[in-house]
Amino acid sequence: MEQVSAFSAGWRRTPASAVSGFGLIWLFLLLFVLYPLTRIFYDAFTNEAGQFTLVNFQEFFTDQFYLRSLWNSLLLGFATVLTTSVIGIGVAFLIIRYEFPYRNLFGYLTMLPMILPPLVGVLGFVFILGRAGTVNILLMDWFDMLHPINFMYGMHGVLLVETLHLFPFMTLSILDSLSKVDPSLEEAAQIVGAKGWRRFRDITLPLTTPGYISGALLVFIWTFADFVTPLVVGVQDLLAVQAYLNIVQFVDRRIFRMGIVISALLVVLAIVFVLVARHYVAIKDYSSLAYSRVERRQLGPIARWLAVAVLGLLMFLSMIPQVGVVLAAVGKGWSLTPFPVQYTLDYFRQVSIETPRFIVNSLVYSGIAVFICLAVGVPMAWIMARTRAPGRGSMDALTTLILAIPGTAIGIAYIRAFHYPLPAIDVALTSMWIILPLVLAVRRLPYTVRSSYSSLLLVHKSMEEAAENVGATKFATFRDITAPLVWKGILVGALFSFIMSIQEASATLFLTLGGWEMIPFGIFTYYIAGSHGQAAALGVILIVLCAVSLYIVNRVAGARVGGLFG
Amino acid sequence: MRIAISNLTKRFGALAAVNAVSLTVEEGEMFTLLGPSGCGKTTLLRLLAGFYTPDAGEIRFGDRVVNEVPPHERGIGMVFQNYALWPHMTVTENVCYGLKLRRVSASDMAARARAVLDKVGLTGLGERYPGQLSGGQQQRVALARALVLNPLMLLLDEPLSNLDAKIRVQVRSEIRKLQKELGITAVYVTHDQEEALAMSDRIAVFNLGSACQIGPPKALYERPANRFVADFIGINNLIDGTVTTVGGQEGGLRAVTALGEIGAIHDGRLRAGDRCVICIRPENITLNSGTGNGKNSFSGRIALSAYLGNTLRYDVEVGGPTPFKADIGDPWHHEQLAIGTPITLSCTIGSTLAIPVD
């Protein structure tokens, strides 16, 4: 009864300004999320004359190469999920359940690969493990090997890079789930005689399913949609790579259309995986507010140093790209020696002082993107958490959808959707630099929405009502009660959006025109052009920017950033 | 199975959560650990369960010292405060998990699960998941899971604290009945004194890591041995005083207090000149029944009255630091007195207890 009246009263009492705000948000979502996506599906189902046809898909599914790419992409996705699962789960349990030397330090180091943009990571690996990389040169010097070992070039190289880059996301998701499991569930198992591995398999592991699923989904979609890493190590028979290559060649219209078809397929597959995962998580939400923590167990003398050794090795491997990029950035004329012979800051000077636009563009565009994220995301979170406005469910679904869509597909969708001249100014959106902040904002909107939403949920409605009860106006209530309690969560979400925006390569590579180059674009083009030093110097700058942002996130939020990836 | 604990100590840092506790739980007894939060009762239960290892002292189950024995080899069944049902398993799977680990045959397992679910009144709910059950039903599943392994003893950690008042009373009598039927030794932790009085054969009242008093409910309520127990269990009017003479009429004593001279019974520990605390239960006080031999009387004014349905409770100013509480047991036949009404309270010496100051 009360609910019904609140619902119907919802619109009647709502001031016109609120309704128009609500309308603006939907307009934004329709224009910049739904319309571009619809556009690539329209393209996928039509021919050059604009007539409906299934011929594009027929062509895809009869082409052996495309089918092999599809198969390879799925295989690579699942393989990465597997490797990151083993490492991620192992690290998460070790860190949360056991006591051993340098445990805290390792906890922080685990996060390090996250600040490493994937594009920079693969370059770093190539510098160290590539054909003419440090390791091969050393091996050839020491053992008189005639041919370098192929660590990097091929599917196994992609798997290696993706695994080392993505396992922290898995670890964080598991940590988040694990910290919500009530310890007495394990004690109850202990009482009835479930020991060690058996208890872990039957009780503990199943209880972390929700976190595991969201982590696995993130890893899968990331790998599935990444085209930069495979390209750098020379792998082309993957779906995302095919989409990219088909689009960037502007010669053959047929092939161009196939690029669109492939990105439509990427979107569909990603959505299917999200739906399956969501369904699975929804029926298995076991989180409870754990009233106590499971006490950490001391590892035995051998086991503890084994743990340090394993984690140490893992961290060493994850640090390879950083070392490689730094060496390449300061090494003058580095080739055919294990380490640079001469050192220089020339590359840094070239990419910062001589050509400042990479850094400036990155900061400005990512900054504007975060501003858009806040302007759209915070009200969205507020609508979802605080009102009974119709369409809240669709908003939630849209945020999840955005998380699932590969950057490649969004980039392509924007090219297709916004290359028409706008009515009043006769310029297409794709010809204006604002399209870059826009696409970045849309890509990273979910982080802002989610963190704001969960912060808002923490402020119980009755706290606001209590303030209004003692005479605070709606505005005073927001300023004095709600805002102080939620700003941290919102800031964390915004900073995360910033980190991810500044690293973004897949969506922006397509859209970047002369003068708009951001750092990842610079890295990519310098590398492809053979200017490895400049690419590496930009990589180092990008790492530093991300590290500073992550440091701030950590200072603000503690280490509790796991929930963002759900 | 008899439990014997001697000089048991468990420290967390500098704090001794359980401090040199000695007690025995007899075979088939329902033994309750009662006390406020942080008194050490849950720590003691977890020591019995084997989740903690004692820092000093000994725990014996029968003749066996179990200090270092892991939980699953102690022959215990445990019911947790929040039930701790595994949410990813059905009711039957929860109940059978321990049997499965013991490699019980499938047919045997099904039969035992059915029998124990029947026993706790959950017939036909075996295929449900814990999330689909009410709190009371979840509690019964937890009980069934503990009982299906035929444990030698049952440990219950505040098992009713998450239930609604009505269900709580119902489940508590079910647990008591089941425990008597099975003749199983049970240790029950609670902070709810009414629950403790209603269920237990004996109760140990805990405070600051030590057992203050151990005894059957009636003894604890009517003959508290110290101020903490007198104050913690039920409601008591406590008056500080000094013993003047011991061994007067009815083998009692007399003491001087701020409210005048009071006659009281005691357990023989008090001597003339000792400081003491006089305890008078509200239900033992009568209003305006006149003074006389064998009675203590106090005059005062009504400060507050509270109608509780089955009782009417007056707060009466008698000149002491706290008002006296006096209960009318049959408010149905009593006209409620107005605030400020002068009144005389009296209580027989036989229901006035003197205990030593700790």
Side-chain angles (χ1 to χ4, degrees), chain A residues 368-400:
Chain A
I368 297 175
V370 168
F371 180 78
I372 300 175
C373 276
L374 287 174
V376 180
V378 176
M380 270 176 76
W382 191 83
I383 288 168
M384 279 154 54
R386 282 284 188 270
T387 70
R388 299 172 177 284
R392 286 172 303 135
S394 320
M395 273 190 186
D396 188 37
L398 262 183
T399 20
T400 313

Short mmCIF file of all heavy atoms in Angstrom, two decimals, chain A residues 368-400:
data_model
loop_
_atom_site.label_atom_id
_atom_site.label_comp_id
_atom_site.label_asym_id
_atom_site.label_seq_id
_atom_site.Cartn_x
_atom_site.Cartn_y
_atom_site.Cartn_z
N ILE A 368 38.38 15.22 -18.72
CA ILE A 368 37.02 15.52 -19.18
C ILE A 368 36.16 14.26 -19.08
O ILE A 368 34.99 14.32 -18.67
CB ILE A 368 37.03 16.05 -20.63
CG1 ILE A 368 37.80 17.37 -20.68
CG2 ILE A 368 35.61 16.26 -21.15
CD1 ILE A 368 37.97 17.92 -22.09
N ALA A 369 36.76 13.11 -19.44
CA ALA A 369 36.00 11.86 -19.37
C ALA A 369 35.52 11.61 -17.95
O ALA A 369 34.36 11.25 -17.73
CB ALA A 369 36.86 10.69 -19.85
N VAL A 370 36.40 11.82 -16.96
CA VAL A 370 36.00 11.61 -15.57
C VAL A 370 34.90 12.58 -15.19
O VAL A 370 33.94 12.22 -14.50
CB VAL A 370 37.22 11.77 -14.63
CG1 VAL A 370 36.78 11.84 -13.18
CG2 VAL A 370 38.19 10.62 -14.84
N PHE A 371 35.02 13.82 -15.67
CA PHE A 371 33.98 14.81 -15.38
C PHE A 371 32.62 14.34 -15.93
O PHE A 371 31.60 14.40 -15.25
CB PHE A 371 34.37 16.17 -15.98
CG PHE A 371 33.37 17.23 -15.72
CD1 PHE A 371 33.31 17.86 -14.48
CD2 PHE A 371 32.45 17.59 -16.70
CE1 PHE A 371 32.36 18.83 -14.23
CE2 PHE A 371 31.49 18.56 -16.46
CZ PHE A 371 31.46 19.19 -15.22
N ILE A 372 32.64 13.84 -17.16
CA ILE A 372 31.38 13.33 -17.75
C ILE A 372 30.88 12.14 -16.95
O ILE A 372 29.69 12.02 -16.65
CB ILE A 372 31.58 12.93 -19.23
CG1 ILE A 372 32.03 14.15 -20.05
CG2 ILE A 372 30.28 12.35 -19.82
CD1 ILE A 372 32.37 13.82 -21.49
N CYS A 373 31.81 11.25 -16.57
CA CYS A 373 31.44 10.08 -15.76
C CYS A 373 30.71 10.52 -14.50
O CYS A 373 29.69 9.95 -14.12
CB CYS A 373 32.69 9.30 -15.33
SG CYS A 373 33.27 8.14 -16.56
N LEU A 374 31.27 11.55 -13.82
CA LEU A 374 30.65 12.01 -12.58
C LEU A 374 29.30 12.65 -12.85
O LEU A 374 28.33 12.37 -12.17
CB LEU A 374 31.57 13.02 -11.88
CG LEU A 374 32.83 12.43 -11.23
CD1 LEU A 374 33.73 13.53 -10.70
CD2 LEU A 374 32.45 11.48 -10.10
N ALA A 375 29.25 13.49 -13.89
CA ALA A 375 28.02 14.22 -14.19
C ALA A 375 26.88 13.26 -14.54
O ALA A 375 25.73 13.51 -14.21
CB ALA A 375 28.26 15.20 -15.33
N VAL A 376 27.20 12.16 -15.21
CA VAL A 376 26.15 11.21 -15.60
C VAL A 376 26.03 10.08 -14.57
O VAL A 376 24.94 9.67 -14.21
CB VAL A 376 26.45 10.61 -16.99
CG1 VAL A 376 25.36 9.63 -17.39
CG2 VAL A 376 26.57 11.72 -18.02
N GLY A 377 27.19 9.62 -14.08
CA GLY A 377 27.20 8.42 -13.25
C GLY A 377 26.63 8.62 -11.86
O GLY A 377 25.89 7.78 -11.37
N VAL A 378 26.98 9.75 -11.22
CA VAL A 378 26.49 9.95 -9.85
C VAL A 378 24.96 10.08 -9.81
O VAL A 378 24.31 9.42 -9.01
CB VAL A 378 27.21 11.15 -9.18
CG1 VAL A 378 26.63 11.43 -7.81
CG2 VAL A 378 28.70 10.89 -9.08
N PRO A 379 24.37 10.92 -10.69
CA PRO A 379 22.91 10.94 -10.71
C PRO A 379 22.30 9.57 -11.04
O PRO A 379 21.28 9.19 -10.46
CB PRO A 379 22.57 11.95 -11.82
CG PRO A 379 23.78 12.80 -11.94
CD PRO A 379 24.94 11.93 -11.60
N MET A 380 22.95 8.81 -11.92
CA MET A 380 22.43 7.47 -12.22
C MET A 380 22.43 6.61 -10.97
O MET A 380 21.45 5.92 -10.66
CB MET A 380 23.30 6.79 -13.29
CG MET A 380 22.86 7.06 -14.72
SD MET A 380 24.00 6.31 -15.90
CE MET A 380 23.54 4.59 -15.79
N ALA A 381 23.53 6.65 -10.23
CA ALA A 381 23.63 5.87 -9.00
C ALA A 381 22.55 6.32 -8.02
O ALA A 381 21.91 5.50 -7.36
CB ALA A 381 25.01 6.03 -8.38
N TRP A 382 22.35 7.63 -7.96
CA TRP A 382 21.36 8.16 -7.03
C TRP A 382 19.96 7.70 -7.42
O TRP A 382 19.17 7.29 -6.57
CB TRP A 382 21.44 9.69 -7.03
CG TRP A 382 20.65 10.29 -5.91
CD1 TRP A 382 21.06 10.46 -4.63
CD2 TRP A 382 19.32 10.78 -5.99
NE1 TRP A 382 20.06 11.01 -3.88
CE2 TRP A 382 18.98 11.22 -4.69
CE3 TRP A 382 18.37 10.89 -7.00
CZ2 TRP A 382 17.74 11.75 -4.38
CZ3 TRP A 382 17.13 11.42 -6.71
CH2 TRP A 382 16.83 11.85 -5.41
N ILE A 383 19.66 7.74 -8.71
CA ILE A 383 18.34 7.28 -9.18
C ILE A 383 18.15 5.81 -8.83
O ILE A 383 17.09 5.40 -8.33
CB ILE A 383 18.21 7.49 -10.71
CG1 ILE A 383 18.06 8.98 -11.03
CG2 ILE A 383 17.00 6.72 -11.26
CD1 ILE A 383 18.20 9.30 -12.50
N MET A 384 19.20 5.01 -9.03
CA MET A 384 19.06 3.58 -8.77
C MET A 384 18.95 3.28 -7.28
O MET A 384 18.25 2.37 -6.87
CB MET A 384 20.26 2.84 -9.38
CG MET A 384 20.08 2.61 -10.87
SD MET A 384 21.62 2.45 -11.79
CE MET A 384 22.47 1.19 -10.96
N ALA A 385 19.66 4.06 -6.45
CA ALA A 385 19.68 3.76 -5.02
C ALA A 385 18.54 4.41 -4.25
O ALA A 385 18.12 3.92 -3.22
CB ALA A 385 21.03 4.19 -4.42
N ARG A 386 18.06 5.56 -4.75
CA ARG A 386 17.20 6.36 -3.90
C ARG A 386 15.78 6.57 -4.43
O ARG A 386 14.93 7.07 -3.71
CB ARG A 386 17.81 7.75 -3.70
CG ARG A 386 18.93 7.78 -2.69
CD ARG A 386 18.35 7.69 -1.29
NE ARG A 386 19.39 7.90 -0.30
CZ ARG A 386 20.12 6.91 0.21
NH1 ARG A 386 19.91 5.67 -0.16
NH2 ARG A 386 21.04 7.17 1.10
N THR A 387 15.53 6.28 -5.68
CA THR A 387 14.21 6.61 -6.20
C THR A 387 13.51 5.35 -6.70
O THR A 387 14.11 4.28 -6.78
CB THR A 387 14.30 7.59 -7.39
OG1 THR A 387 14.86 6.88 -8.49
CG2 THR A 387 15.16 8.78 -7.07
N ARG A 388 12.25 5.52 -7.00
CA ARG A 388 11.49 4.43 -7.60
C ARG A 388 11.19 4.76 -9.05
O ARG A 388 10.22 4.28 -9.62
CB ARG A 388 10.18 4.24 -6.83
CG ARG A 388 10.42 3.89 -5.40
CD ARG A 388 9.12 3.89 -4.63
NE ARG A 388 9.38 3.49 -3.27
CZ ARG A 388 9.61 2.24 -2.90
NH1 ARG A 388 9.56 1.28 -3.78
NH2 ARG A 388 9.84 1.94 -1.64
N ALA A 389 12.03 5.60 -9.62
CA ALA A 389 11.78 6.02 -10.99
C ALA A 389 11.75 4.81 -11.91
O ALA A 389 12.53 3.88 -11.73
CB ALA A 389 12.88 6.98 -11.44
N PRO A 390 10.85 4.83 -12.90
CA PRO A 390 10.80 3.69 -13.82
C PRO A 390 12.10 3.62 -14.62
O PRO A 390 12.77 4.63 -14.83
CB PRO A 390 9.61 4.02 -14.71
CG PRO A 390 9.36 5.48 -14.54
CD PRO A 390 9.83 5.83 -13.17
N GLY A 391 12.47 2.42 -15.04
CA GLY A 391 13.65 2.27 -15.88
C GLY A 391 14.94 2.11 -15.10
O GLY A 391 16.02 2.10 -15.68
N ARG A 392 14.83 1.99 -13.76
CA ARG A 392 16.06 1.81 -13.00
C ARG A 392 16.74 0.51 -13.36
O ARG A 392 17.95 0.41 -13.46
CB ARG A 392 15.77 1.83 -11.49
CG ARG A 392 15.46 3.19 -10.95
CD ARG A 392 15.01 3.08 -9.53
NE ARG A 392 13.86 2.18 -9.43
CZ ARG A 392 13.72 1.24 -8.53
NH1 ARG A 392 14.64 1.05 -7.63
NH2 ARG A 392 12.65 0.49 -8.51
N GLY A 393 15.91 -0.54 -13.55
CA GLY A 393 16.46 -1.84 -13.92
C GLY A 393 17.22 -1.77 -15.23
O GLY A 393 18.30 -2.35 -15.37
N SER A 394 16.68 -1.03 -16.19
CA SER A 394 17.34 -0.90 -17.49
C SER A 394 18.67 -0.19 -17.34
O SER A 394 19.64 -0.50 -18.01
CB SER A 394 16.46 -0.12 -18.46
OG SER A 394 15.13 -0.51 -18.30
N MET A 395 18.71 0.83 -16.45
CA MET A 395 19.96 1.53 -16.21
C MET A 395 21.02 0.56 -15.70
O MET A 395 22.17 0.57 -16.15
CB MET A 395 19.76 2.63 -15.17
CG MET A 395 19.31 3.93 -15.75
SD MET A 395 19.39 5.20 -14.48
CE MET A 395 18.63 6.55 -15.36
N ASP A 396 20.62 -0.27 -14.75
CA ASP A 396 21.56 -1.24 -14.20
C ASP A 396 22.04 -2.19 -15.29
O ASP A 396 23.23 -2.47 -15.41
CB ASP A 396 20.87 -2.02 -13.07
CG ASP A 396 21.86 -2.90 -12.35
OD1 ASP A 396 23.01 -2.47 -12.18
OD2 ASP A 396 21.48 -4.03 -11.97
N ALA A 397 21.10 -2.66 -16.11
CA ALA A 397 21.46 -3.57 -17.19
C ALA A 397 22.42 -2.91 -18.16
O ALA A 397 23.37 -3.52 -18.63
CB ALA A 397 20.20 -4.04 -17.91
N LEU A 398 22.17 -1.61 -18.43
CA LEU A 398 23.04 -0.88 -19.36
C LEU A 398 24.46 -0.78 -18.83
O LEU A 398 25.43 -0.93 -19.59
CB LEU A 398 22.49 0.52 -19.60
CG LEU A 398 21.67 0.72 -20.86
CD1 LEU A 398 21.25 2.18 -20.99
CD2 LEU A 398 22.46 0.31 -22.09
N THR A 399 24.61 -0.51 -17.53
CA THR A 399 25.97 -0.41 -16.99
C THR A 399 26.70 -1.73 -17.15
O THR A 399 27.88 -1.75 -17.49
CB THR A 399 25.97 -0.05 -15.48
OG1 THR A 399 24.72 -0.36 -14.94
CG2 THR A 399 26.32 1.36 -15.25
N THR A 400 26.00 -2.84 -16.89
CA THR A 400 26.64 -4.13 -17.06
C THR A 400 26.99 -4.36 -18.53
O THR A 400 28.06 -4.86 -18.85
CB THR A 400 25.70 -5.25 -16.60
OG1 THR A 400 25.17 -4.89 -15.34
CG2 THR A 400 26.43 -6.56 -16.48
#
